[in-house]
Amino acid sequence: MSKQFQFKLVLLGESAVGKSSLVLRFVKDQFDDYRESTIGAAFLTQTVSLDDGTTVKFEIWDTAGQERYKSLAPMYYRNANCAVVVYDITQTASLEKARSWIRELQRQADPSIVIALCGNKSDLSARRQVSQEEAKKYADEEGLMWGETSAKSGEGVADIFTAIAKKLPLTAPPSARGGAARPGASGKPGGVDLNKQANAAGANEPCNC
Amino acid sequence: MDEEYDVIVLGTGLTECILSGLLSVEGKKVLHMDRNDYYGGDSASLNLTQLYRKFRPDQAPPAELGRDRDYAVDLIPKFIMASGELSKILVHTDVTRYLEFKQIAGSFVYRDGKISKVPSTEMEAVKSPLMGLFEKRRAKKFFEFLQGWKDEDPATHQGVNLDKDSMKAIYEKFGLEPGTQDFIGHAMALYLDDDYKTKPAREAYERIVLYTSSMARWGKSPYIYPLYGLGELPQSFARLSAIYGGTYMLDKSIDEIITDADGKFVGVRSGEETVKAKQVVGDPSYFGAGKAAADGGKVRVLEEGRVVRAICILKHPIPGTEDADSAQIIIPQNQVGRRNDIYVAIVSSTHNVCAKDVYVAIVSTVVETDRPEQELAPGLQLLGPVYDKFITVSSLYTPTSDGTSDNIFVTRSYDATSHFETVVEDVNRVWKAAVGKELVLKKREVEAEA
Ligand SMILES: Nc1nc2c(ncn2[C@@H]2O[C@H](COP(=O)(O)OP(=O)(O)OP(=O)(O)O)[C@@H](O)[C@H]2O)c(=O)[nH]1
Ligand SMILES: [Mg+2]
């Protein structure tokens, strides 16, 4: 049997850089020019199959707009296995914002988190404000993965997620919440799954000693 | 901020966040604000930096406590009853997706200077030193009576009327000793004082049933606890709200609650900005709590008591708990000559709330004297050496009106009980007043999945 891993992936970045669009392209291969700010669906999954038969299932968390007024809850990224920090190549300020998210992750997230810096809207290179060299240099200094994408054309989108999928099983042991069987804790000592019906089998552990 | 909202919610404590989440799911346009730059208000969990900043502004956290990110220290000591109302809301709203839970490893009760485990299985009950042999038989009859009770079947009632007869009368009917009564009323029904004994027994019956069914769900104790601390609960409901369109603004000063000539709610002013809404929901601190004169001279909240809490950092488990990684200890009031019980709640790195080999215990009780900290002594004595200790004395505020006349709905402070049942009662109360109907939990449609 081939191996399957499941990881929690969070998206971070300034409003309107294209976080939700990237997810939509990656998960459903769609794009929407007039996409409203994210409402409703903010929790999707997508599986990537690697050459060696390993499959990596991403549990993708979108910010649900909470970052708009600097109000993203730390629980959002606390136990993420990987983060895609997005900036818009046509907005210098969005790279600044991406840097501050990366600092926050380095301070508060799990030390083994895999971070990918992602320059989105590469189809708009005529209006480019952030050069590839500048972004790549910063990513190298901080030990981040880096790539440019266009959620609109689809260019680079699969590549960045596949690159993360390749790196993850090697570097990040599936953490509790991102583990193979959700909710992860139920398989561990003392962990409980509230969604299991009350009085279902195993209600009383045979040994409480 | 020139948009208009259906509801503005002030404060991101658990009560407000549950309401905000449910209101957003209901389709209301919600703006949720907090004066702090973190979620949770009085029900937050703080990292070391935040903890020391709050209690010791001039002292940095000691380096030997370890990394900041490993800490999530609760400000109020509460656990989730496994079969209680909060569990139901978590499941129905699917907020369980964002959280992971672990059991609290044990529940203990203090008696004659020692602590003993509250039995979680019949085997433990038989071995428990809490009762003598004959008393165990009497207690068994009492529990069989409660378990067999069916409202519609008078044969199960043994002549008792739960809505009329007092709990005292029922204890006497089964001949239970005072020590057993203490155990049942305080360690199982979780009453803080003895007032319940003279009231109709129905409520005590329901509380005992809740306790035993919670205990039966996973064993060990009736409680579960979210990894990374209680502060994850409000954050998770805030995410639910945001997913359904709720707008979040932290770190916003709330400078004025604006009302019209009739005293009805109009909007909220923050600095130069004013934002309007039909209704406002918020915790007491936004409505004049602790101030001599409230906004516009109207008194919206009253102090109905005070709770003293000592947050204690330990480097060892509590002696006598079989090195439990987490526990509740109840010190019934009778045992220490008080009117109200003293509670000890302890959690540890097993719950991702502190560094390895560190334990965080909170000792709490309802204030009865003008020296609150001393009232905690019987609880503090159980802990052994305390590495550091932070004391809070909090007023419990209750709103003066239900809000239906002025569209200002104030929630209650977090009380001294050991669980969240009263928080959910408050959610139901505010929902009914603000929405105009009972809160009915529907299983939420799960968001699109690929
Ligand atoms: N040209 C171009 N437009 C894009 C691309 N990705 C996203 N957009 C557009 O940018 C706008 C914002 O995209 P979203 O995906 O909503 O951005 P977001 O980061 O999720 O924004 P918030 O949810 O507000 O935080 C939309 O109008 C998208 O159509 C891209 O690769 N190229
Ligand atoms: Mg979005």
Side-chain angles (χ1 to χ4, degrees):
Chain A
M1 241 193 60
S2 60
K3 282 198 196 132
Q4 213 205 354
F5 296 93
Q6 181 167 329
F7 295 104
K8 172 176 168 182
L9 181 149
V10 296
L11 284 129
L12 289 165
E14 197 168 27
S15 190
V17 295
K19 298 181 294 296
S20 304
S21 301
L22 275 172
V23 177
L24 191 67
R25 172 62 75 190
F26 175 53
V27 174
K28 300 199 175 142
D29 201 19
Q30 293 169 359
F31 180 77
D32 203 340
D33 258 314
Y34 302 99
R35 208 175 147 69
E36 291 256 315
S37 276
T38 315
I39 289 190
F43 193 92
L44 296 112
T45 58
Q46 177 66 299
T47 304
V48 174
S49 301
L50 301 177
D51 296 337
D52 63 358
T54 307
T55 55
V56 170
K57 186 173 179 187
F58 287 113
E59 179 185 283
I60 304 166
W61 291 43
D62 196 353
T63 58
Q66 277 180 302
E67 81 288 10
R68 218 160 295 146
Y69 303 99
K70 302 196 190 71
S71 302
L72 192 62
M75 61 87 62
Y76 176 75
Y77 50 84
R78 169 130 42 218
N79 57 356
N81 304 103
C82 43
V84 177
V85 182
V86 186
Y87 64 94
D88 175 345
I89 65 155
T90 72
Q91 305 285 336
T92 310
S94 71
L95 181 64
E96 267 323 298
K97 187 69 213 179
R99 285 177 198 257
S100 82
W101 277 122
I102 286 160
R103 280 194 296 273
E104 175 74 5
L105 289 172
Q106 288 167 340
R107 212 171 45 233
Q108 297 293 346
D110 191 286
S112 67
I113 189 169
V114 171
I115 304 174
L117 178 66
C118 174
N120 190 40
K121 308 199 185 179
S122 63
D123 56 290
L124 300 178
S125 59
R127 285 162 37 198
R128 176 188 289 279
Q129 286 187 358
V130 180
S131 73
Q132 296 196 342
E133 293 70 36
E134 179 192 359
K136 176 96 173 49
K137 181 163 171 283
Y138 166 67
D140 286 345
E141 282 163 13
E142 297 293 331
L144 318 170
M145 305 172 75
W146 172 80
E148 285 194 350
T149 55
S150 167
K152 186 167 185 169
S153 72
E155 195 189 349
V157 177
D159 301 330
I160 201 152
F161 285 96
T162 307
I164 296 169
K166 279 188 180 145
K167 192 162 179 188
L168 269 169
L170 308 172
T171 54
S175 84
R177 214 181 293 183
R182 270 194 57 83
S186 53
K188 295 192 183 163
V192 295
D193 181 358
L194 267 183
N195 293 305
K196 274 198 194 128
Q197 281 296 304
N199 307 324
N204 250 322
E205 289 180 49
C207 178
N208 289 326
C209 25
Chain B
M1 294 226 295
D2 42 354
E3 281 168 274
E4 197 169 329
Y5 291 85
D6 292 323
V7 189
I8 294 174
V9 183
L10 301 178
T12 53
L14 180 58
T15 315
E16 294 75 37
C17 285
I18 296 176
L19 281 163
S20 175
L22 294 173
L23 287 165
S24 296
V25 172
E26 184 83 358
K28 305 269 187 200
K29 192 172 173 195
V30 175
L31 172 64
H32 201 158
M33 299 196 272
D34 196 307
R35 66 167 79 81
N36 296 319
D37 63 1
Y38 55 84
Y39 279 89
D42 288 342
S43 59
S45 303
L46 304 183
N47 62 29
L48 277 185
T49 307
Q50 292 169 323
L51 185 71
Y52 277 79
R53 197 196 298 149
K54 184 176 175 76
F55 291 100
R56 308 257 175 79
D58 38 39
Q59 188 193 328
E64 65 165 309
L65 285 180
R67 292 186 306 191
D68 206 29
R69 74 175 98 190
D70 291 337
Y71 282 80
V73 178
D74 299 332
L75 295 176
I76 52 155
K78 282 183 183 289
F79 295 143
I80 302 170
M81 294 293 281
S83 300
E85 293 300 315
L86 182 57
S87 297
K88 284 184 199 146
I89 293 188
L90 285 163
V91 170
H92 280 272
T93 54
D94 220 28
V95 163
T96 44
R97 271 172 180 274
Y98 311 139
L99 296 161
E100 244 187 278
F101 298 93
K102 276 198 174 165
Q103 286 174 260
I104 292 298
S107 177
F108 296 82
V109 60
Y110 176 92
R111 176 114 157 242
D112 305 328
K114 288 201 300 281
I115 60 175
S116 315
K117 196 160 190 295
V118 177
S120 61
T121 62
E122 214 145 295
M123 271 305 280
E124 282 186 7
V126 172
K127 282 193 258 165
S128 170
L130 285 165
M131 289 178 229
L133 188 59
F134 292 109
E135 184 67 357
K136 273 180 187 140
R137 279 189 202 151
R138 290 188 286 268
K140 190 160 180 266
K141 288 223 165 70
F142 168 81
F143 286 117
E144 280 166 358
F145 162 68
L146 292 189
Q147 260 158 29
W149 180 277
K150 287 197 188 74
D151 273 337
E152 66 285 0
D153 181 4
T156 65
H157 298 183
Q158 302 187 24
V160 170
N161 183 337
L162 283 183
D163 300 304
K164 276 219 183 88
D165 298 331
S166 68
M167 200 59 196
K168 185 163 177 282
I170 299 180
Y171 285 147
E172 279 163 9
K173 176 182 164 72
F174 288 90
L176 296 179
E177 293 165 359
T180 311
Q181 297 180 18
D182 266 0
F183 169 76
I184 293 168
H186 293 261
M188 296 182 77
L190 301 169
Y191 282 108
L192 290 161
D193 58 39
D194 265 351
D195 293 352
Y196 76 96
K197 282 191 183 175
T198 52
K199 296 187 181 144
R202 168 79 63 184
E203 190 191 270
Y205 160 75
E206 281 168 356
R207 282 171 168 240
I208 295 167
V209 169
L210 172 62
Y211 186 92
T212 43
S213 68
S214 294
M215 188 67 120
R217 248 191 117 174
W218 285 291
K220 293 189 183 174
S221 88
Y223 300 118
I224 55 171
Y225 185 89
L227 289 191
Y228 303 101
L230 296 179
E232 297 292 282
L233 295 169
Q235 292 182 50
S236 299
F237 283 100
R239 178 166 168 82
L240 174 69
S241 174
I243 285 171
Y244 279 83
T247 301
Y248 275 79
M249 292 186 187
L250 299 186
D251 206 8
K252 271 278 178 197
S253 71
I254 308 301
D255 300 310
E256 192 184 349
I257 306 294
I258 303 167
T259 52
D260 66 13
D262 302 330
K264 281 193 171 33
F265 178 70
V266 173
V268 167
R269 183 174 65 79
S270 171
E272 304 286 281
E273 299 166 295
T274 295
V275 52
K276 292 183 179 175
K278 300 186 186 81
Q279 300 178 313
V280 67
V281 173
D283 79 49
S285 70
Y286 293 89
F287 298 96
K291 285 193 213 139
D295 277 350
K298 187 158 173 13
V299 178
R300 299 195 195 279
V301 293
L302 290 175
E303 189 192 278
E304 55 173 4
R306 292 191 301 158
V307 185
V308 55
R309 297 170 176 131
I311 300 171
C312 302
I313 298 179
L314 315 180
K315 298 270 188 111
H316 56 82
I318 296 182
T321 59
E322 298 152 21
D323 291 348
D325 60 35
S326 52
Q328 175 185 49
I329 304 171
I330 294 173
I331 307 178
Q333 26 91 290
N334 274 340
Q335 293 287 323
V336 285
R338 293 175 50 77
R339 234 188 81 68
N340 293 278
D341 293 3
I342 300 170
Y343 284 153
V344 180
I346 186 162
V347 283
S348 65
S349 57
T350 307
H351 308 88
N352 300 7
V353 296
C354 54
K356 200 168 170 295
D357 300 324
V358 173
Y359 294 75
V360 181
I362 305 185
V363 184
S364 62
T365 192
V366 174
V367 175
E368 297 175 8
T369 70
D370 52 9
R371 299 163 98 180
E373 189 177 342
Q374 287 189 8
E375 297 183 44
L376 296 176
L380 291 170
Q381 271 158 23
L382 299 176
L383 303 184
V386 172
Y387 176 81
D388 206 348
K389 186 169 73 179
F390 308 91
I391 308 278
T392 56
V393 178
S394 318
S395 297
L396 300 183
Y397 292 102
T398 191
T400 53
S401 89
D402 71 358
T404 47
S405 61
D406 55 8
N407 292 321
I408 297 176
F409 305 90
V410 186
T411 60
R412 297 166 59 110
S413 311
Y414 298 100
D415 63 21
T417 61
S418 65
H419 47 67
F420 288 102
E421 299 303 291
T422 50
V423 168
V424 178
E425 270 170 34
D426 205 34
V427 166
N428 283 313
R429 176 186 68 80
V430 173
W431 179 275
K432 193 170 174 201
V435 181
K437 58 183 185 199
E438 297 281 346
L439 174 61
V440 181
L441 292 174
K442 295 170 284 229
K443 182 83 186 155
R444 181 164 76 86
E445 283 291 311
V446 172
E447 303 135 62
E449 275 206 49

